[in-house]
Amino acid sequence: MATVDKKLLKRLKVLYVEDDEETRQRLQNILQDDLKELFTAKNGLEGLELYKEKSPDIVITDLNMPLMDGIEMSEQIRKIK
């Protein structure tokens, strides 16, 4: 089993985009204490705006979401970065 570098995690800003509120809340509860910052969004459009505003190190996204899906959001982020 791989070990997790807790010091590395404490330096990371992560954006998590998930339209299912229960799933989003569960993962948020798991991750938030181990990361420098955790930003959450409920759809790709909101996620893209948070990406522009917060410049996270890592983006974790659902694929099928309303307003903008995870693929489109990722393509838009790639255009920015």
Side-chain angles (χ1 to χ4, degrees):
M1 179 178 241
T3 59
V4 176
D5 185 344
K6 296 280 187 177
K7 290 180 183 178
L8 172 63
L9 289 177
K10 280 293 187 189
R11 295 191 317 243
L12 294 176
K13 296 188 300 182
V14 174
L15 170 60
Y16 175 49
V17 188
E18 169 62 63
D19 64 320
D20 182 77
E21 187 173 345
E22 183 178 338
T23 302
R24 188 175 61 250
Q25 189 63 42
R26 282 185 184 187
L27 192 58
Q28 181 178 346
N29 290 341
I30 292 168
L31 295 176
Q32 65 189 0
D33 292 336
D34 293 324
L35 300 170
K36 179 178 179 179
E37 292 182 84
L38 177 64
F39 312 108
T40 60
K42 60 186 172 202
N43 60 61
L45 193 58
E46 190 177 298
L48 182 59
E49 291 307 311
L50 271 173
Y51 181 85
K52 291 175 185 177
E53 181 183 326
K54 305 294 185 178
S55 299
D57 302 302
I58 296 173
V59 176
I60 303 168
T61 185
D62 186 4
L63 294 180
N64 297 312
M65 297 179 291
L67 302 181
M68 180 185 290
D69 66 28
I71 300 293
E72 176 65 22
M73 182 190 73
S74 298
E75 289 171 351
Q76 295 299 317
I77 287 172
R78 288 192 70 167
K79 289 179 184 177
I80 296 167
K81 188 87 174 170

